[in-house]
DNA sequence: TGAATAGTGTCTTTGAGACAATATTGC
DNA sequence: GCAATATTGTCTCAAAGACACTATTCA
């Protein structure tokens, strides 16, 4: 056993800062946003559900974004999703080991992709979060607020869909995220204006007792980049 | 002199991460955004112009925001401005001492307040930046982009005005930040809609050869909080 | 009185939502 | 054909911009 030493303090008395990343992995299940949580395997809070995350490894990671992508892949199996920096949380009180910084990231994946990911994942609705360690509850709330806000005027929700989807499917994703109905004609005008979608020629959603819907995919240029609107998708509230 | 040791490495071989904050202090001079820079007094890049910033002190700061506010006051004399987290920049290459994180903040002040601040400040236009150390140029660019973007649908630019201002003055601040003309009638409708301003009864801008303009101030509730719009201030482009 | 700019009224244009008509499928 | 939903056309309403008119000051 090592010699006892105050947690997070170096020998010279200057407190070391703990540098971590946390990932809020979101997806849409049953028309409501869900977040992926994991049982912690280490202290502090060993055994508790928490966001996937961990310490940045200076010898391994080339940036905090890289650290987040590495952590996400290692802990959940999810690889190459939409992954965006959210905000940085810091202070002496958020981690019992001492003064810490967490660079939080937000990842969006399709429900399908999340199902195929690690079975160790606990996927819970964001409006029924269990008690969470650290400030993970606030981090999730910031993520959800950001996603809802950005969805008003951008193509963000397409990352909650799979590779191919119909316009009615995409509209219902927008409606679920925004929590309000959207006019069908306006929605289609907006999607056209965003210019990020292309119909997959000859591909339709079949098997239902109605006119089949055209399948669309993201244009190559928008696979990793958002498309922005001047005006919100749903103007009236 | 201390015993030689590889920069940024602890004795156990795990590289220590350098935790800093940087503040992009912006103001509007001559209708264009300017940023405040300081001559660095320490290595690395001693003597070079750079953003005010420095290492987070775990023993002193209660958060990265606190560290930014402390640094800003100590280095520029500016106290209690609008101060908002921007993003976090990180990696092994941005600081020659080793793997580093910088939590960047954006501060907005009136030109008047900046003039009265420390005379050591070098206030330069953001579109004519000198060569800067670290990744300070990217940080400034992100700040400017964010400010322009937020100004489209919020009250952000009021923090570039003094305590009292006229609507024509505020409009010209918006126009300078957004880089485009705004319809006068629409602008006034929007300011009314934002609901953040109150006329200072009986106070007018006098001394000019025209009808005097009503002076306004921020309502108490909005002294530190933004007010947001559903739609952008300038819809057409 | 005239120049200058503040502040307001109102018409026109643009864009969003309502509604409905048409298109295609499985049964 | 009928039920169901996709897709599109068009009318209505509200918001944004253009323009002009009135208000008030100094020279």
């Amino acid at each position: 056993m090592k010699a006892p030493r105050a947690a997070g303090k170096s020998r010279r008395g200057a407190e070391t800062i703990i540098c971590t990343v946390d990932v809020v992995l979101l997806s849409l299940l049953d028309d409501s946003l869900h977040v992926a949580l994991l049982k912690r395997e280490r202290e502090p809070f060993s055994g508790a559900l928490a966001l996937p995350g961990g310490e940045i490894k200076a010898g391994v990671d080339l940036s905090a974004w890289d650290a987040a992508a590495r952590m996400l892949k290692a802990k959940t199996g999810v690889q190459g999703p939409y992954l965006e920096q959210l905000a940085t949380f810091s202070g002496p009180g958020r981690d019992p080991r001492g003064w810490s910084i967490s660079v939080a990231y937000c990842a969006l994946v399709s429900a399908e992709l999340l199902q195929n990911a690690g079975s160790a994942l606990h996927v819970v609705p964001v409006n029924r979060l269990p008690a969470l360690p650290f400030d993970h509850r606030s981090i999730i709330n910031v993520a959800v607020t950001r996603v809802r806000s950005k969805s008003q005027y951008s193509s963000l929700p397409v990352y909650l869909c799979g590779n191919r989807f119909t316009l009615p499917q995409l509209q219902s994703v927008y409606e679920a995220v925004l929590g309000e109905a959207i006019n069908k004609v306006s929605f289609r005008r907006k999607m056209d204006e965003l210019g990020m979608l292309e119909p997959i020629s000859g591909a339709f959603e079949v098997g239902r007792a109605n006119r089949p819907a055209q399948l669309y995919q993201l244009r190559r240029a928008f696979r990793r980049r958002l498309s922005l609107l001047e005006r919100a998708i749903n103007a009236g509230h």
Side-chain angles (χ1 to χ4, degrees), chain A:
Chain A
M1 207 166 174
K2 284 192 294 185
R5 192 207 287 182
K9 314 266 183 181
S10 82
R11 283 185 187 155
R12 289 166 57 203
E15 210 171 324
T16 301
I17 293 175
I18 303 158
C19 291
T20 64
V21 295
D22 285 303
V23 181
V24 183
L25 175 57
L26 296 173
S27 191
L28 200 60
L29 277 72
D30 306 324
D31 280 349
S32 76
L33 280 174
H34 284 58
V35 60
L37 302 172
L38 280 171
K39 269 217 161 66
R40 284 182 61 84
E41 295 182 350
R42 302 189 197 174
E43 291 298 339
F45 306 113
S46 182
L49 285 181
L51 291 175
E55 291 199 26
I56 295 174
K57 290 187 183 173
V60 174
D61 303 311
L62 290 176
S63 65
W65 190 94
D66 276 356
R70 171 176 65 79
M71 224 77 81
L72 191 61
K73 186 185 168 194
K75 302 207 170 187
T76 72
V78 171
Q79 201 168 355
Y82 178 79
L83 182 63
E84 175 197 276
Q85 192 183 110
L86 195 59
T88 297
F89 298 77
S90 62
R94 54 182 302 283
D95 187 319
R97 292 169 291 181
W99 220 103
S100 66
I101 275 187
S102 170
V103 187
Y105 284 80
C106 181
L108 301 185
V109 294
S110 66
E112 180 196 24
L113 208 149
L114 196 59
Q115 311 275 301
N116 300 342
S119 57
L121 289 181
H122 292 247
V123 180
V124 306
V126 295
N127 47 9
R128 276 186 202 138
L129 296 175
L132 293 172
F134 310 104
D135 48 3
H136 284 189
R137 175 179 276 266
S138 336
I139 296 179
I140 294 168
N141 286 334
V142 171
V144 170
T145 302
R146 174 81 63 88
V147 167
R148 296 215 162 110
S149 164
K150 273 204 162 180
S151 297
Q152 288 176 348
Y153 57 92
S154 83
S155 60
L156 193 65
V158 299
Y159 298 108
L160 296 169
C161 294
N163 289 335
R164 357 172 83 205
F165 45 85
T166 68
L167 284 180
Q169 281 169 3
L170 183 57
Q171 178 168 355
S172 91
V173 169
Y174 268 92
E175 289 175 335
V177 172
L178 296 176
E180 58 190 2
I182 303 174
N183 180 282
K184 184 172 49 166
V185 179
S186 300
F187 179 76
R188 282 159 180 264
R189 274 195 293 243
K190 288 292 189 181
M191 289 306 110
D192 188 50
E193 192 184 329
L194 277 167
M196 60 179 175
L197 300 181
E198 57 187 6
I200 305 170
S201 105
F204 295 87
E205 185 200 36
V206 290
R208 312 237 325 265
N210 52 38
R211 174 169 172 180
Q214 173 71 55
L215 283 168
Y216 289 83
Q217 64 189 4
L218 273 180
R219 282 188 205 283
R220 181 165 278 285
F222 295 96
R223 297 287 305 210
R224 304 231 146 233
R225 224 187 50 235
L226 291 185
S227 178
L228 302 176
L229 284 170
E230 295 287 341
R231 300 158 190 266
I233 285 164
N234 220 6
H237 284 271

